[in-house]
Amino acid sequence: MSRQLPPPHPDPGRALARAVRTLHRCVLGLLAACALVVALAAESSSAQDVPPRSYTLVAVGLALGVVAARRLSTSPVISARACARLSIVSLALAGALGLVAAALGARHGATQSALVFTLAAALFVLRPPALARPASPTPGA
């Protein structure tokens, strides 16, 4: 008789990191789609490129939220779960910034500002969150 080993328990930290990596890729795709929407709106737009103040305030608020969440997620005193939550929040806020930019370009024709907002969101998301990056080899190992 052969003895069967119990199935290995998945490491929750590994699963969380995989989820953050997947979300990171999805947000990058969303931002690419938002940039495409803005580019298409630029071809058909004849409106002035002055964004409404409310869009600018929302975009700046979202950008500050991304920066704050990203910065807090790298703090050495928080748990891995808090790091994951903050990474998810930063990615969600960057995605929301891209959606605001797409709405700005499509609804108001302020395509230059919309492209700047989309580019800012892409720059925030370009580097994966700390939790989603592969572990670096330890020195001397």
Side-chain angles (χ1 to χ4, degrees):
M1 287 195 124
S2 67
R3 182 173 168 217
Q4 289 185 344
L5 296 174
H9 294 288
D11 180 15
R14 220 179 215 171
L16 212 48
R18 186 173 40 253
V20 171
R21 273 193 303 275
T22 301
L23 180 62
H24 177 251
R25 282 187 226 119
C26 290
V27 171
L28 284 173
L30 173 69
L31 292 176
C34 290
L36 181 62
V37 166
V38 172
L40 292 174
E43 291 180 1
S44 64
S45 174
S46 62
Q48 290 184 349
D49 199 27
V50 178
R53 184 182 183 135
S54 59
Y55 278 83
T56 303
L57 291 175
V58 168
V60 169
L62 289 170
L64 291 173
V66 171
V67 171
R70 189 73 180 240
R71 178 69 182 118
L72 288 173
S73 73
T74 61
S75 173
V77 297
I78 64 170
S79 67
R81 182 173 293 241
C83 176
R85 286 181 180 155
L86 286 167
S87 295
I88 290 168
V89 166
S90 72
L91 290 170
L93 290 173
L97 179 57
L99 292 174
V100 166
L104 177 64
R107 295 189 73 206
H108 297 284
T111 54
Q112 288 180 354
S113 300
L115 283 173
V116 169
F117 293 161
T118 307
L119 179 62
L123 289 174
F124 289 138
V125 176
L126 199 55
R127 184 173 171 214
L131 189 65
R133 282 184 244 137
S136 60
T138 57

